[in-house]
Amino acid sequence: MTRIKDAVEHIAKAIIAQKDYLNMLDKAIGDGDHGNNMAIGFEAALEEIDNMNDDGNPEKVFKAIGTAFSENVGGAAGPLYAAAFNRAAKACDENTSFTVDSVIKVLGEAIEAIKKRGRVEPGEKTMLDVLIPVHTAFVKGKEKDLTLFQCLGEASRAAKEGADYTRTISASKGRASYLGIRSIGHQDPGATSSLIMVRELYNFFQR
């Protein structure tokens, strides 16, 4: 059985490895520290998880990640990811595992937390422009009776399309919003970190 800790470790290492790339994206339209912030958050999360007695419990793992981000990461994305993972933790129950139904439920709650915390909607050049298409891909995948792995493949493609889409629109939230239409042509770093997480979860299941 796949342990959620193993998946988180794989995703965290991928985010940390892409730190400089995320910083480069953020430097064009923000403070240039998104990669550093994401690396700090996931390094703290890994430490929290390593110290847990039950690192296979989704609720505890999500809570550990949320706590790590809320206590260690500033900027725009830190509080949003903290809210998302904390809400995801609350959405878990004894039946939560790596299934299509569980992903739909947990990701749906995480998206609602981001909307509320950031007062943001899709089309505003944020991580939601990746996460909402990913959620939709899972919902459609369930309707087609796709497997989890097949849904992850569809979600990975949707995430890439969502991240690409952020290049075509202007930012209306965060520091990037100060640039207005000058932010067009630049890929949103928060959307990109979300893309990396979805893509690497797919890659994790391919191993």
Side-chain angles (χ1 to χ4, degrees):
M1 180 179 292
T2 301
R3 287 198 309 164
I4 188 169
K5 180 204 171 191
D6 297 328
V8 169
E9 284 185 343
H10 179 86
I11 292 167
K13 289 176 181 177
I15 288 286
I16 293 166
Q18 294 291 319
K19 177 178 69 174
D20 291 341
Y21 173 59
L22 292 171
N23 282 339
M24 179 191 72
L25 292 178
D26 195 31
K27 188 175 182 180
I29 58 175
D31 293 326
D33 59 357
H34 182 66
N36 290 342
N37 287 337
M38 294 300 295
I40 289 169
F42 272 110
E43 285 166 355
L46 289 177
E47 186 174 343
E48 288 273 345
I49 294 168
D50 283 340
N51 292 329
M52 287 169 48
N53 292 325
D54 183 4
D55 54 20
N57 182 303
E59 179 181 358
K60 291 181 179 180
V61 171
F62 288 144
K63 183 65 175 175
I65 300 171
T67 299
F69 271 83
S70 65
E71 294 181 352
N72 296 280
V73 183
L80 294 180
Y81 276 119
F85 281 108
N86 284 328
R87 182 80 165 262
K90 292 179 180 178
C92 293
D93 56 34
E94 66 275 7
N95 297 316
T96 302
S97 61
F98 275 122
T99 65
V100 174
D101 285 336
S102 289
V103 172
I104 290 172
K105 178 182 177 182
V106 170
L107 179 57
E109 289 296 318
I111 287 169
E112 290 306 312
I114 292 169
K115 286 182 177 180
K116 182 176 180 180
R117 181 70 174 80
R119 297 178 181 177
V120 60
E121 294 293 333
E124 295 187 294
K125 204 180 184 84
T126 71
M127 61 186 72
L128 286 187
D129 294 313
V130 163
L131 296 178
I132 289 178
V134 166
H135 187 261
T136 300
F138 268 90
V139 172
K140 290 182 177 179
K142 179 182 178 181
E143 293 171 352
K144 298 175 183 177
D145 291 323
L146 299 184
T147 66
L148 174 64
F149 182 67
Q150 289 171 327
C151 284
L152 282 169
E154 294 295 313
S156 185
R157 286 184 280 275
K160 178 64 167 60
E161 291 174 1
D164 290 344
Y165 167 66
T166 65
R167 294 196 202 114
T168 70
I169 56 177
S170 61
S172 57
K173 297 291 180 181
R175 188 175 180 84
S177 65
Y178 301 153
L179 296 176
I181 61 172
R182 287 179 295 157
S183 65
I184 296 175
H186 298 285
Q187 186 165 306
D188 181 67
T192 306
S193 58
S194 292
L195 162 63
I196 293 171
M197 283 188 264
V198 174
R199 184 183 64 206
E200 291 305 322
L201 185 58
Y202 176 54
N203 290 340
F204 174 79
F205 276 93
Q206 287 193 91
R207 299 186 309 172

